[in-house]
Amino acid sequence: MNAKDAATGEAISEPKRVAEIWVQGEPLVRHYASPQNAFRALKAIEGEGKPVRVFYAQDRESGIKLLGNQAWFVRADGGEVSAFLLKENAEKWARDHGGKVLDFAAAKDSVVASN
């Protein structure tokens, strides 16, 4: 992948951690290097009153693109957020790597609350 994080400008090097936001009225999605960067950007976009069409996240294990509001997330003890299609996969990841399983709203709230 040869893209840069829309918020930080950092190179996106880990495709299975990519998250994207498609803002209504914009022709292209915005790419982010991690779900936590995207959740922070989502808060700012919503604060500007811009409607968001879709929030995407990549499944941490398979890399498939997920609709964020239908995904499960694991927030690791260090703050890193990973997305999963299946809740049982998120639960296993949390057991194996540490962290807490969250739905979309709780993951967003936990990231923006930590800033």
Side-chain angles (χ1 to χ4, degrees):
M1 174 174 248
N2 190 18
K4 294 190 184 282
D5 186 294
T8 67
E10 70 182 286
I12 296 176
S13 60
E14 204 174 334
K16 289 183 179 177
R17 301 248 316 116
V18 170
E20 300 168 316
I21 298 174
W22 187 9
V23 178
Q24 186 172 328
E26 293 184 6
L28 302 173
V29 298
R30 300 179 187 188
H31 303 280
Y32 300 92
S34 67
Q36 57 270 28
N37 286 4
F39 281 127
R40 289 182 199 111
L42 180 61
K43 179 183 178 190
I45 292 165
E46 291 173 340
E48 295 168 3
K50 295 180 181 176
V52 171
R53 293 184 65 155
V54 182
F55 182 106
Y56 297 109
Q58 307 302 125
D59 181 270
R60 179 66 184 244
E61 296 173 316
S62 70
I64 64 170
K65 186 182 278 193
L66 309 171
L67 295 171
N69 65 344
Q70 296 178 1
W72 293 95
F73 296 86
V74 174
R75 177 129 195 225
D77 298 333
E80 180 180 271
V81 177
S82 298
F84 297 86
L85 172 63
L86 302 175
K87 186 175 184 181
E88 53 266 23
N89 291 11
E91 291 168 341
K92 182 177 182 329
W93 183 273
R95 278 193 309 273
D96 293 348
H97 298 92
K100 184 175 180 181
V101 176
L102 305 166
D103 65 13
F104 178 79
K108 176 185 166 192
D109 289 347
S110 88
V111 169
V112 298
S114 68
N115 289 332

